[in-house]
Amino acid sequence: MRDPDALRLGAAPGLPDEAYEHDGQLTKRYVRAATLAALAPAPGELLWDVGGGSGSIGVEWMRTHRSCRAIAVEKSPERAARITRNADALGVPALEVVTGPAPASLAGLPAPDAIFIGGGLTAPASSTPAGRPCRPAGGSSPTR
C-alpha cells in the first residue's frame, strides 16, 4: 500500500513542484504539463532546454520515453549543478547540462527537435538559436 504522505511521482508530465530542488527558477507544475503537451515529445527526439533553471522541462521531456534526450543550457554554474542533481534524483541521469550563456553555448550542439526557452533569455539571444533552425517537426505545435 502506498504511503499517503509520500510525494507522488507519476509517469505523466507535471510532477509536483516539491519534486525539484530549486531557487525559485522553476516552471510551475501546470505550466510544465501544458508545455510538455505542446512540445509533444516523441521517442528518440532531442530537446534544447535553454535557460534550464532547475531543469524541470528537460527532466520531464526525458521521462516521457526512455529514448528521449535533452540538453539543458544554463549560464549559472550553481543552477547547472542543480539541474544535474534533479535529473539524477528524478531518474534521468543522462540529461546533458551545458554551462554557459545562450546563444554562444548552443554552437556545436546536435540539432534539436524542439527548443524550450525559459529563464529570462533576452530577445537578441532568442532570435535563431545558434543561427540554425530545429529539425523539421512531425506535428504542428507552435513551440517547435
Side-chain angles (χ1 to χ4, degrees), residues 4-31:
D5 296 324
L7 188 61
R8 186 166 184 178
L9 302 178
L15 296 177
D17 292 347
E18 299 78 25
Y20 292 93
E21 176 188 341
H22 63 90
D23 61 1
Q25 190 71 28
L26 174 72
T27 302
K28 301 304 183 249
R29 181 181 194 170
Y30 298 110
V31 174

mmCIF file with all atom_site columns, all heavy atoms in Angstrom, residues 4-31:
data_model
loop_
_atom_site.group_PDB
_atom_site.id
_atom_site.type_symbol
_atom_site.label_atom_id
_atom_site.label_alt_id
_atom_site.label_comp_id
_atom_site.label_asym_id
_atom_site.label_entity_id
_atom_site.label_seq_id
_atom_site.pdbx_PDB_ins_code
_atom_site.Cartn_x
_atom_site.Cartn_y
_atom_site.Cartn_z
_atom_site.occupancy
_atom_site.B_iso_or_equiv
_atom_site.pdbx_formal_charge
_atom_site.auth_seq_id
_atom_site.auth_comp_id
_atom_site.auth_asym_id
_atom_site.auth_atom_id
_atom_site.pdbx_PDB_model_num
ATOM 1   N N   . PRO A 1 4  ? 0.465  7.430  2.170   1.00 0.00 ? 4  PRO A N   1
ATOM 2   C CA  . PRO A 1 4  ? -0.333 8.595  1.789   1.00 0.00 ? 4  PRO A CA  1
ATOM 3   C C   . PRO A 1 4  ? 0.412  9.916  1.933   1.00 0.00 ? 4  PRO A C   1
ATOM 4   O O   . PRO A 1 4  ? 0.031  10.921 1.331   1.00 0.00 ? 4  PRO A O   1
ATOM 5   C CB  . PRO A 1 4  ? -1.539 8.531  2.728   1.00 0.00 ? 4  PRO A CB  1
ATOM 6   C CG  . PRO A 1 4  ? -1.112 7.683  3.859   1.00 0.00 ? 4  PRO A CG  1
ATOM 7   C CD  . PRO A 1 4  ? -0.071 6.738  3.329   1.00 0.00 ? 4  PRO A CD  1
ATOM 8   N N   . ASP A 1 5  ? 1.503  9.939  2.686   1.00 0.00 ? 5  ASP A N   1
ATOM 9   C CA  . ASP A 1 5  ? 2.281  11.167 2.872   1.00 0.00 ? 5  ASP A CA  1
ATOM 10  C C   . ASP A 1 5  ? 3.454  11.285 1.897   1.00 0.00 ? 5  ASP A C   1
ATOM 11  O O   . ASP A 1 5  ? 4.111  12.323 1.854   1.00 0.00 ? 5  ASP A O   1
ATOM 12  C CB  . ASP A 1 5  ? 2.810  11.241 4.315   1.00 0.00 ? 5  ASP A CB  1
ATOM 13  C CG  . ASP A 1 5  ? 1.674  11.342 5.320   1.00 0.00 ? 5  ASP A CG  1
ATOM 14  O OD1 . ASP A 1 5  ? 0.658  12.004 5.009   1.00 0.00 ? 5  ASP A OD1 1
ATOM 15  O OD2 . ASP A 1 5  ? 1.810  10.744 6.405   1.00 0.00 ? 5  ASP A OD2 1
ATOM 16  N N   . ALA A 1 6  ? 3.701  10.224 1.129   1.00 0.00 ? 6  ALA A N   1
ATOM 17  C CA  . ALA A 1 6  ? 4.835  10.236 0.199   1.00 0.00 ? 6  ALA A CA  1
ATOM 18  C C   . ALA A 1 6  ? 4.510  11.108 -1.012  1.00 0.00 ? 6  ALA A C   1
ATOM 19  O O   . ALA A 1 6  ? 3.364  11.178 -1.462  1.00 0.00 ? 6  ALA A O   1
ATOM 20  C CB  . ALA A 1 6  ? 5.150  8.813  -0.253  1.00 0.00 ? 6  ALA A CB  1
ATOM 21  N N   . LEU A 1 7  ? 5.518  11.767 -1.548  1.00 0.00 ? 7  LEU A N   1
ATOM 22  C CA  . LEU A 1 7  ? 5.372  12.582 -2.741  1.00 0.00 ? 7  LEU A CA  1
ATOM 23  C C   . LEU A 1 7  ? 5.091  11.662 -3.916  1.00 0.00 ? 7  LEU A C   1
ATOM 24  O O   . LEU A 1 7  ? 5.821  10.710 -4.161  1.00 0.00 ? 7  LEU A O   1
ATOM 25  C CB  . LEU A 1 7  ? 6.661  13.377 -2.982  1.00 0.00 ? 7  LEU A CB  1
ATOM 26  C CG  . LEU A 1 7  ? 6.634  14.430 -4.073  1.00 0.00 ? 7  LEU A CG  1
ATOM 27  C CD1 . LEU A 1 7  ? 5.579  15.508 -3.766  1.00 0.00 ? 7  LEU A CD1 1
ATOM 28  C CD2 . LEU A 1 7  ? 8.003  15.063 -4.189  1.00 0.00 ? 7  LEU A CD2 1
ATOM 29  N N   . ARG A 1 8  ? 4.012  11.918 -4.637  1.00 0.00 ? 8  ARG A N   1
ATOM 30  C CA  . ARG A 1 8  ? 3.616  11.051 -5.737  1.00 0.00 ? 8  ARG A CA  1
ATOM 31  C C   . ARG A 1 8  ? 4.245  11.544 -7.034  1.00 0.00 ? 8  ARG A C   1
ATOM 32  O O   . ARG A 1 8  ? 3.999  12.666 -7.469  1.00 0.00 ? 8  ARG A O   1
ATOM 33  C CB  . ARG A 1 8  ? 2.102  11.035 -5.863  1.00 0.00 ? 8  ARG A CB  1
ATOM 34  C CG  . ARG A 1 8  ? 1.633  10.041 -6.885  1.00 0.00 ? 8  ARG A CG  1
ATOM 35  C CD  . ARG A 1 8  ? 0.173  9.801  -6.773  1.00 0.00 ? 8  ARG A CD  1
ATOM 36  N NE  . ARG A 1 8  ? -0.186 8.761  -7.713  1.00 0.00 ? 8  ARG A NE  1
ATOM 37  C CZ  . ARG A 1 8  ? -1.384 8.286  -7.854  1.00 0.00 ? 8  ARG A CZ  1
ATOM 38  N NH1 . ARG A 1 8  ? -2.351 8.752  -7.107  1.00 0.00 ? 8  ARG A NH1 1
ATOM 39  N NH2 . ARG A 1 8  ? -1.631 7.357  -8.731  1.00 0.00 ? 8  ARG A NH2 1
ATOM 40  N N   . LEU A 1 9  ? 5.063  10.676 -7.634  1.00 0.00 ? 9  LEU A N   1
ATOM 41  C CA  . LEU A 1 9  ? 5.744  10.997 -8.878  1.00 0.00 ? 9  LEU A CA  1
ATOM 42  C C   . LEU A 1 9  ? 5.192  10.100 -9.981  1.00 0.00 ? 9  LEU A C   1
ATOM 43  O O   . LEU A 1 9  ? 5.696  9.015  -10.224 1.00 0.00 ? 9  LEU A O   1
ATOM 44  C CB  . LEU A 1 9  ? 7.253  10.802 -8.743  1.00 0.00 ? 9  LEU A CB  1
ATOM 45  C CG  . LEU A 1 9  ? 7.945  11.613 -7.651  1.00 0.00 ? 9  LEU A CG  1
ATOM 46  C CD1 . LEU A 1 9  ? 9.424  11.280 -7.600  1.00 0.00 ? 9  LEU A CD1 1
ATOM 47  C CD2 . LEU A 1 9  ? 7.728  13.096 -7.866  1.00 0.00 ? 9  LEU A CD2 1
ATOM 48  N N   . GLY A 1 10 ? 4.133  10.553 -10.633 1.00 0.00 ? 10 GLY A N   1
ATOM 49  C CA  . GLY A 1 10 ? 3.511  9.777  -11.698 1.00 0.00 ? 10 GLY A CA  1
ATOM 50  C C   . GLY A 1 10 ? 4.344  9.779  -12.970 1.00 0.00 ? 10 GLY A C   1
ATOM 51  O O   . GLY A 1 10 ? 5.368  10.461 -13.074 1.00 0.00 ? 10 GLY A O   1
ATOM 52  N N   . ALA A 1 11 ? 3.881  9.029  -13.948 1.00 0.00 ? 11 ALA A N   1
ATOM 53  C CA  . ALA A 1 11 ? 4.581  8.930  -15.223 1.00 0.00 ? 11 ALA A CA  1
ATOM 54  C C   . ALA A 1 11 ? 4.264  10.090 -16.158 1.00 0.00 ? 11 ALA A C   1
ATOM 55  O O   . ALA A 1 11 ? 5.019  10.373 -17.071 1.00 0.00 ? 11 ALA A O   1
ATOM 56  C CB  . ALA A 1 11 ? 4.227  7.608  -15.901 1.00 0.00 ? 11 ALA A CB  1
ATOM 57  N N   . ALA A 1 12 ? 3.154  10.768 -15.954 1.00 0.00 ? 12 ALA A N   1
ATOM 58  C CA  . ALA A 1 12 ? 2.744  11.868 -16.831 1.00 0.00 ? 12 ALA A CA  1
ATOM 59  C C   . ALA A 1 12 ? 3.477  13.158 -16.458 1.00 0.00 ? 12 ALA A C   1
ATOM 60  O O   . ALA A 1 12 ? 3.819  13.372 -15.296 1.00 0.00 ? 12 ALA A O   1
ATOM 61  C CB  . ALA A 1 12 ? 1.235  12.077 -16.730 1.00 0.00 ? 12 ALA A CB  1
ATOM 62  N N   . PRO A 1 13 ? 3.714  14.040 -17.438 1.00 0.00 ? 13 PRO A N   1
ATOM 63  C CA  . PRO A 1 13 ? 4.326  15.345 -17.133 1.00 0.00 ? 13 PRO A CA  1
ATOM 64  C C   . PRO A 1 13 ? 3.490  16.141 -16.133 1.00 0.00 ? 13 PRO A C   1
ATOM 65  O O   . PRO A 1 13 ? 2.265  15.996 -16.080 1.00 0.00 ? 13 PRO A O   1
ATOM 66  C CB  . PRO A 1 13 ? 4.361  16.044 -18.489 1.00 0.00 ? 13 PRO A CB  1
ATOM 67  C CG  . PRO A 1 13 ? 4.406  14.931 -19.475 1.00 0.00 ? 13 PRO A CG  1
ATOM 68  C CD  . PRO A 1 13 ? 3.530  13.856 -18.872 1.00 0.00 ? 13 PRO A CD  1
ATOM 69  N N   . GLY A 1 14 ? 4.170  16.966 -15.362 1.00 0.00 ? 14 GLY A N   1
ATOM 70  C CA  . GLY A 1 14 ? 3.508  17.767 -14.345 1.00 0.00 ? 14 GLY A CA  1
ATOM 71  C C   . GLY A 1 14 ? 3.808  17.231 -12.958 1.00 0.00 ? 14 GLY A C   1
ATOM 72  O O   . GLY A 1 14 ? 2.929  17.171 -12.101 1.00 0.00 ? 14 GLY A O   1
ATOM 73  N N   . LEU A 1 15 ? 5.069  16.853 -12.729 1.00 0.00 ? 15 LEU A N   1
ATOM 74  C CA  . LEU A 1 15 ? 5.456  16.394 -11.398 1.00 0.00 ? 15 LEU A CA  1
ATOM 75  C C   . LEU A 1 15 ? 5.223  17.525 -10.395 1.00 0.00 ? 15 LEU A C   1
ATOM 76  O O   . LEU A 1 15 ? 5.279  18.701 -10.760 1.00 0.00 ? 15 LEU A O   1
ATOM 77  C CB  . LEU A 1 15 ? 6.931  15.997 -11.371 1.00 0.00 ? 15 LEU A CB  1
ATOM 78  C CG  . LEU A 1 15 ? 7.355  14.815 -12.242 1.00 0.00 ? 15 LEU A CG  1
ATOM 79  C CD1 . LEU A 1 15 ? 8.866  14.610 -12.157 1.00 0.00 ? 15 LEU A CD1 1
ATOM 80  C CD2 . LEU A 1 15 ? 6.617  13.562 -11.852 1.00 0.00 ? 15 LEU A CD2 1
ATOM 81  N N   . PRO A 1 16 ? 4.999  17.188 -9.140  1.00 0.00 ? 16 PRO A N   1
ATOM 82  C CA  . PRO A 1 16 ? 4.827  18.248 -8.131  1.00 0.00 ? 16 PRO A CA  1
ATOM 83  C C   . PRO A 1 16 ? 6.062  19.143 -8.062  1.00 0.00 ? 16 PRO A C   1
ATOM 84  O O   . PRO A 1 16 ? 7.192  18.674 -8.203  1.00 0.00 ? 16 PRO A O   1
ATOM 85  C CB  . PRO A 1 16 ? 4.658  17.466 -6.821  1.00 0.00 ? 16 PRO A CB  1
ATOM 86  C CG  . PRO A 1 16 ? 4.287  16.088 -7.217  1.00 0.00 ? 16 PRO A CG  1
ATOM 87  C CD  . PRO A 1 16 ? 4.897  15.846 -8.565  1.00 0.00 ? 16 PRO A CD  1
ATOM 88  N N   . ASP A 1 17 ? 5.845  20.431 -7.842  1.00 0.00 ? 17 ASP A N   1
ATOM 89  C CA  . ASP A 1 17 ? 6.963  21.364 -7.719  1.00 0.00 ? 17 ASP A CA  1
ATOM 90  C C   . ASP A 1 17 ? 7.937  20.925 -6.634  1.00 0.00 ? 17 ASP A C   1
ATOM 91  O O   . ASP A 1 17 ? 9.145  21.129 -6.739  1.00 0.00 ? 17 ASP A O   1
ATOM 92  C CB  . ASP A 1 17 ? 6.458  22.781 -7.416  1.00 0.00 ? 17 ASP A CB  1
ATOM 93  C CG  . ASP A 1 17 ? 5.693  23.396 -8.584  1.00 0.00 ? 17 ASP A CG  1
ATOM 94  O OD1 . ASP A 1 17 ? 5.748  22.858 -9.718  1.00 0.00 ? 17 ASP A OD1 1
ATOM 95  O OD2 . ASP A 1 17 ? 5.034  24.424 -8.356  1.00 0.00 ? 17 ASP A OD2 1
ATOM 96  N N   . GLU A 1 18 ? 7.413  20.278 -5.594  1.00 0.00 ? 18 GLU A N   1
ATOM 97  C CA  . GLU A 1 18 ? 8.232  19.810 -4.469  1.00 0.00 ? 18 GLU A CA  1
ATOM 98  C C   . GLU A 1 18 ? 9.212  18.711 -4.871  1.00 0.00 ? 18 GLU A C   1
ATOM 99  O O   . GLU A 1 18 ? 10.127 18.389 -4.115  1.00 0.00 ? 18 GLU A O   1
ATOM 100 C CB  . GLU A 1 18 ? 7.343  19.307 -3.330  1.00 0.00 ? 18 GLU A CB  1
ATOM 101 C CG  . GLU A 1 18 ? 6.416  20.349 -2.750  1.00 0.00 ? 18 GLU A CG  1
ATOM 102 C CD  . GLU A 1 18 ? 5.169  20.617 -3.616  1.00 0.00 ? 18 GLU A CD  1
ATOM 103 O OE1 . GLU A 1 18 ? 4.749  19.728 -4.389  1.00 0.00 ? 18 GLU A OE1 1
ATOM 104 O OE2 . GLU A 1 18 ? 4.641  21.743 -3.530  1.00 0.00 ? 18 GLU A OE2 1
ATOM 105 N N   . ALA A 1 19 ? 9.038  18.132 -6.054  1.00 0.00 ? 19 ALA A N   1
ATOM 106 C CA  . ALA A 1 19 ? 9.952  17.090 -6.517  1.00 0.00 ? 19 ALA A CA  1
ATOM 107 C C   . ALA A 1 19 ? 11.301 17.670 -6.942  1.00 0.00 ? 19 ALA A C   1
ATOM 108 O O   . ALA A 1 19 ? 12.284 16.949 -7.052  1.00 0.00 ? 19 ALA A O   1
ATOM 109 C CB  . ALA A 1 19 ? 9.336  16.325 -7.686  1.00 0.00 ? 19 ALA A CB  1
ATOM 110 N N   . TYR A 1 20 ? 11.329 18.984 -7.151  1.00 0.00 ? 20 TYR A N   1
ATOM 111 C CA  . TYR A 1 20 ? 12.523 19.640 -7.656  1.00 0.00 ? 20 TYR A CA  1
ATOM 112 C C   . TYR A 1 20 ? 13.223 20.468 -6.601  1.00 0.00 ? 20 TYR A C   1
ATOM 113 O O   . TYR A 1 20 ? 12.590 21.204 -5.859  1.00 0.00 ? 20 TYR A O   1
ATOM 114 C CB  . TYR A 1 20 ? 12.163 20.579 -8.828  1.00 0.00 ? 20 TYR A CB  1
ATOM 115 C CG  . TYR A 1 20 ? 11.709 19.830 -10.048 1.00 0.00 ? 20 TYR A CG  1
ATOM 116 C CD1 . TYR A 1 20 ? 10.363 19.591 -10.272 1.00 0.00 ? 20 TYR A CD1 1
ATOM 117 C CD2 . TYR A 1 20 ? 12.627 19.334 -10.956 1.00 0.00 ? 20 TYR A CD2 1
ATOM 118 C CE1 . TYR A 1 20 ? 9.930  18.884 -11.377 1.00 0.00 ? 20 TYR A CE1 1
ATOM 119 C CE2 . TYR A 1 20 ? 12.212 18.625 -12.067 1.00 0.00 ? 20 TYR A CE2 1
ATOM 120 C CZ  . TYR A 1 20 ? 10.866 18.402 -12.274 1.00 0.00 ? 20 TYR A CZ  1
ATOM 121 O OH  . TYR A 1 20 ? 10.462 17.690 -13.362 1.00 0.00 ? 20 TYR A OH  1
ATOM 122 N N   . GLU A 1 21 ? 14.544 20.371 -6.605  1.00 0.00 ? 21 GLU A N   1
ATOM 123 C CA  . GLU A 1 21 ? 15.367 21.323 -5.862  1.00 0.00 ? 21 GLU A CA  1
ATOM 124 C C   . GLU A 1 21 ? 15.415 22.567 -6.744  1.00 0.00 ? 21 GLU A C   1
ATOM 125 O O   . GLU A 1 21 ? 15.662 22.471 -7.953  1.00 0.00 ? 21 GLU A O   1
ATOM 126 C CB  . GLU A 1 21 ? 16.766 20.738 -5.667  1.00 0.00 ? 21 GLU A CB  1
ATOM 127 C CG  . GLU A 1 21 ? 17.736 21.664 -4.999  1.00 0.00 ? 21 GLU A CG  1
ATOM 128 C CD  . GLU A 1 21 ? 19.162 21.123 -5.001  1.00 0.00 ? 21 GLU A CD  1
ATOM 129 O OE1 . GLU A 1 21 ? 19.375 19.907 -5.179  1.00 0.00 ? 21 GLU A OE1 1
ATOM 130 O OE2 . GLU A 1 21 ? 20.065 21.966 -4.838  1.00 0.00 ? 21 GLU A OE2 1
ATOM 131 N N   . HIS A 1 22 ? 15.141 23.733 -6.187  1.00 0.00 ? 22 HIS A N   1
ATOM 132 C CA  . HIS A 1 22 ? 15.171 24.959 -6.991  1.00 0.00 ? 22 HIS A CA  1
ATOM 133 C C   . HIS A 1 22 ? 15.393 26.175 -6.106  1.00 0.00 ? 22 HIS A C   1
ATOM 134 O O   . HIS A 1 22 ? 15.278 26.112 -4.891  1.00 0.00 ? 22 HIS A O   1
ATOM 135 C CB  . HIS A 1 22 ? 13.872 25.110 -7.805  1.00 0.00 ? 22 HIS A CB  1
ATOM 136 C CG  . HIS A 1 22 ? 12.641 25.262 -6.984  1.00 0.00 ? 22 HIS A CG  1
ATOM 137 N ND1 . HIS A 1 22 ? 12.165 26.491 -6.581  1.00 0.00 ? 22 HIS A ND1 1
ATOM 138 C CD2 . HIS A 1 22 ? 11.781 24.347 -6.471  1.00 0.00 ? 22 HIS A CD2 1
ATOM 139 C CE1 . HIS A 1 22 ? 11.056 26.334 -5.883  1.00 0.00 ? 22 HIS A CE1 1
ATOM 140 N NE2 . HIS A 1 22 ? 10.818 25.036 -5.789  1.00 0.00 ? 22 HIS A NE2 1
ATOM 141 N N   . ASP A 1 23 ? 15.700 27.296 -6.772  1.00 0.00 ? 23 ASP A N   1
ATOM 142 C CA  . ASP A 1 23 ? 15.912 28.565 -6.077  1.00 0.00 ? 23 ASP A CA  1
ATOM 143 C C   . ASP A 1 23 ? 14.818 29.563 -6.459  1.00 0.00 ? 23 ASP A C   1
ATOM 144 O O   . ASP A 1 23 ? 15.015 30.762 -6.392  1.00 0.00 ? 23 ASP A O   1
ATOM 145 C CB  . ASP A 1 23 ? 17.296 29.137 -6.400  1.00 0.00 ? 23 ASP A CB  1
ATOM 146 C CG  . ASP A 1 23 ? 17.485 29.414 -7.881  1.00 0.00 ? 23 ASP A CG  1
ATOM 147 O OD1 . ASP A 1 23 ? 16.547 29.195 -8.689  1.00 0.00 ? 23 ASP A OD1 1
ATOM 148 O OD2 . ASP A 1 23 ? 18.581 29.861 -8.263  1.00 0.00 ? 23 ASP A OD2 1
ATOM 149 N N   . GLY A 1 24 ? 13.685 29.044 -6.884  1.00 0.00 ? 24 GLY A N   1
ATOM 150 C CA  . GLY A 1 24 ? 12.592 29.882 -7.354  1.00 0.00 ? 24 GLY A CA  1
ATOM 151 C C   . GLY A 1 24 ? 12.508 29.898 -8.869  1.00 0.00 ? 24 GLY A C   1
ATOM 152 O O   . GLY A 1 24 ? 11.478 30.240 -9.433  1.00 0.00 ? 24 GLY A O   1
ATOM 153 N N   . GLN A 1 25 ? 13.586 29.520 -9.547  1.00 0.00 ? 25 GLN A N   1
ATOM 154 C CA  . GLN A 1 25 ? 13.604 29.457 -11.009 1.00 0.00 ? 25 GLN A CA  1
ATOM 155 C C   . GLN A 1 25 ? 13.088 28.080 -11.415 1.00 0.00 ? 25 GLN A C   1
ATOM 156 O O   . GLN A 1 25 ? 13.838 27.130 -11.576 1.00 0.00 ? 25 GLN A O   1
ATOM 157 C CB  . GLN A 1 25 ? 15.029 29.680 -11.535 1.00 0.00 ? 25 GLN A CB  1
ATOM 158 C CG  . GLN A 1 25 ? 15.117 29.858 -13.020 1.00 0.00 ? 25 GLN A CG  1
ATOM 159 C CD  . GLN A 1 25 ? 14.549 31.180 -13.482 1.00 0.00 ? 25 GLN A CD  1
ATOM 160 O OE1 . GLN A 1 25 ? 14.549 32.159 -12.757 1.00 0.00 ? 25 GLN A OE1 1
ATOM 161 N NE2 . GLN A 1 25 ? 14.039 31.214 -14.687 1.00 0.00 ? 25 GLN A NE2 1
ATOM 162 N N   . LEU A 1 26 ? 11.763 27.971 -11.513 1.00 0.00 ? 26 LEU A N   1
ATOM 163 C CA  . LEU A 1 26 ? 11.110 26.693 -11.796 1.00 0.00 ? 26 LEU A CA  1
ATOM 164 C C   . LEU A 1 26 ? 9.852  26.953 -12.602 1.00 0.00 ? 26 LEU A C   1
ATOM 165 O O   . LEU A 1 26 ? 9.014  27.770 -12.191 1.00 0.00 ? 26 LEU A O   1
ATOM 166 C CB  . LEU A 1 26 ? 10.738 25.992 -10.478 1.00 0.00 ? 26 LEU A CB  1
ATOM 167 C CG  . LEU A 1 26 ? 9.924  24.713 -10.578 1.00 0.00 ? 26 LEU A CG  1
ATOM 168 C CD1 . LEU A 1 26 ? 10.780 23.572 -11.117 1.00 0.00 ? 26 LEU A CD1 1
ATOM 169 C CD2 . LEU A 1 26 ? 9.340  24.337 -9.225  1.00 0.00 ? 26 LEU A CD2 1
ATOM 170 N N   . THR A 1 27 ? 9.716  26.274 -13.740 1.00 0.00 ? 27 THR A N   1
ATOM 171 C CA  . THR A 1 27 ? 8.463  26.333 -14.482 1.00 0.00 ? 27 THR A CA  1
ATOM 172 C C   . THR A 1 27 ? 7.440  25.578 -13.643 1.00 0.00 ? 27 THR A C   1
ATOM 173 O O   . THR A 1 27 ? 7.630  24.401 -13.336 1.00 0.00 ? 27 THR A O   1
ATOM 174 C CB  . THR A 1 27 ? 8.620  25.688 -15.874 1.00 0.00 ? 27 THR A CB  1
ATOM 175 O OG1 . THR A 1 27 ? 9.672  26.364 -16.574 1.00 0.00 ? 27 THR A OG1 1
ATOM 176 C CG2 . THR A 1 27 ? 7.325  25.777 -16.664 1.00 0.00 ? 27 THR A CG2 1
ATOM 177 N N   . LYS A 1 28 ? 6.385  26.261 -13.242 1.00 0.00 ? 28 LYS A N   1
ATOM 178 C CA  . LYS A 1 28 ? 5.407  25.684 -12.308 1.00 0.00 ? 28 LYS A CA  1
ATOM 179 C C   . LYS A 1 28 ? 4.683  24.477 -12.904 1.00 0.00 ? 28 LYS A C   1
ATOM 180 O O   . LYS A 1 28 ? 4.560  24.341 -14.117 1.00 0.00 ? 28 LYS A O   1
ATOM 181 C CB  . LYS A 1 28 ? 4.405  26.743 -11.861 1.00 0.00 ? 28 LYS A CB  1
ATOM 182 C CG  . LYS A 1 28 ? 5.055  27.938 -11.166 1.00 0.00 ? 28 LYS A CG  1
ATOM 183 C CD  . LYS A 1 28 ? 5.898  27.523 -9.965  1.00 0.00 ? 28 LYS A CD  1
ATOM 184 C CE  . LYS A 1 28 ? 6.485  28.693 -9.231  1.00 0.00 ? 28 LYS A CE  1
ATOM 185 N NZ  . LYS A 1 28 ? 7.913  28.822 -9.333  1.00 0.00 ? 28 LYS A NZ  1
ATOM 186 N N   . ARG A 1 29 ? 4.210  23.624 -12.042 1.00 0.00 ? 29 ARG A N   1
ATOM 187 C CA  . ARG A 1 29 ? 3.657  22.319 -12.390 1.00 0.00 ? 29 ARG A CA  1
ATOM 188 C C   . ARG A 1 29 ? 2.678  22.340 -13.561 1.00 0.00 ? 29 ARG A C   1
ATOM 189 O O   . ARG A 1 29 ? 2.841  21.604 -14.527 1.00 0.00 ? 29 ARG A O   1
ATOM 190 C CB  . ARG A 1 29 ? 2.967  21.732 -11.152 1.00 0.00 ? 29 ARG A CB  1
ATOM 191 C CG  . ARG A 1 29 ? 2.387  20.368 -11.392 1.00 0.00 ? 29 ARG A CG  1
ATOM 192 C CD  . ARG A 1 29 ? 1.691  19.841 -10.160 1.00 0.00 ? 29 ARG A CD  1
ATOM 193 N NE  . ARG A 1 29 ? 1.429  18.414 -10.313 1.00 0.00 ? 29 ARG A NE  1
ATOM 194 C CZ  . ARG A 1 29 ? 1.018  17.643 -9.338  1.00 0.00 ? 29 ARG A CZ  1
ATOM 195 N NH1 . ARG A 1 29 ? 0.816  18.139 -8.124  1.00 0.00 ? 29 ARG A NH1 1
ATOM 196 N NH2 . ARG A 1 29 ? 0.819  16.365 -9.553  1.00 0.00 ? 29 ARG A NH2 1
ATOM 197 N N   . TYR A 1 30 ? 1.642  23.165 -13.508 1.00 0.00 ? 30 TYR A N   1
ATOM 198 C CA  . TYR A 1 30 ? 0.609  23.117 -14.543 1.00 0.00 ? 30 TYR A CA  1
ATOM 199 C C   . TYR A 1 30 ? 1.096  23.743 -15.841 1.00 0.00 ? 30 TYR A C   1
ATOM 200 O O   . TYR A 1 30 ? 0.718  23.303 -16.930 1.00 0.00 ? 30 TYR A O   1
ATOM 201 C CB  . TYR A 1 30 ? -0.687 23.746 -14.035 1.00 0.00 ? 30 TYR A CB  1
ATOM 202 C CG  . TYR A 1 30 ? -1.213 22.970 -12.841 1.00 0.00 ? 30 TYR A CG  1
ATOM 203 C CD1 . TYR A 1 30 ? -1.187 23.509 -11.570 1.00 0.00 ? 30 TYR A CD1 1
ATOM 204 C CD2 . TYR A 1 30 ? -1.672 21.660 -13.000 1.00 0.00 ? 30 TYR A CD2 1
ATOM 205 C CE1 . TYR A 1 30 ? -1.629 22.763 -10.475 1.00 0.00 ? 30 TYR A CE1 1
ATOM 206 C CE2 . TYR A 1 30 ? -2.113 20.913 -11.918 1.00 0.00 ? 30 TYR A CE2 1
ATOM 207 C CZ  . TYR A 1 30 ? -2.084 21.472 -10.652 1.00 0.00 ? 30 TYR A CZ  1
ATOM 208 O OH  . TYR A 1 30 ? -2.517 20.735 -9.577  1.00 0.00 ? 30 TYR A OH  1
ATOM 209 N N   . VAL A 1 31 ? 1.968  24.727 -15.751 1.00 0.00 ? 31 VAL A N   1
ATOM 210 C CA  . VAL A 1 31 ? 2.579  25.305 -16.948 1.00 0.00 ? 31 VAL A CA  1
ATOM 211 C C   . VAL A 1 31 ? 3.505  24.269 -17.582 1.00 0.00 ? 31 VAL A C   1
ATOM 212 O O   . VAL A 1 31 ? 3.547  24.106 -18.810 1.00 0.00 ? 31 VAL A O   1
ATOM 213 C CB  . VAL A 1 31 ? 3.340  26.605 -16.602 1.00 0.00 ? 31 VAL A CB  1
ATOM 214 C CG1 . VAL A 1 31 ? 4.112  27.135 -17.804 1.00 0.00 ? 31 VAL A CG1 1
ATOM 215 C CG2 . VAL A 1 31 ? 2.383  27.647 -16.056 1.00 0.00 ? 31 VAL A CG2 1
#
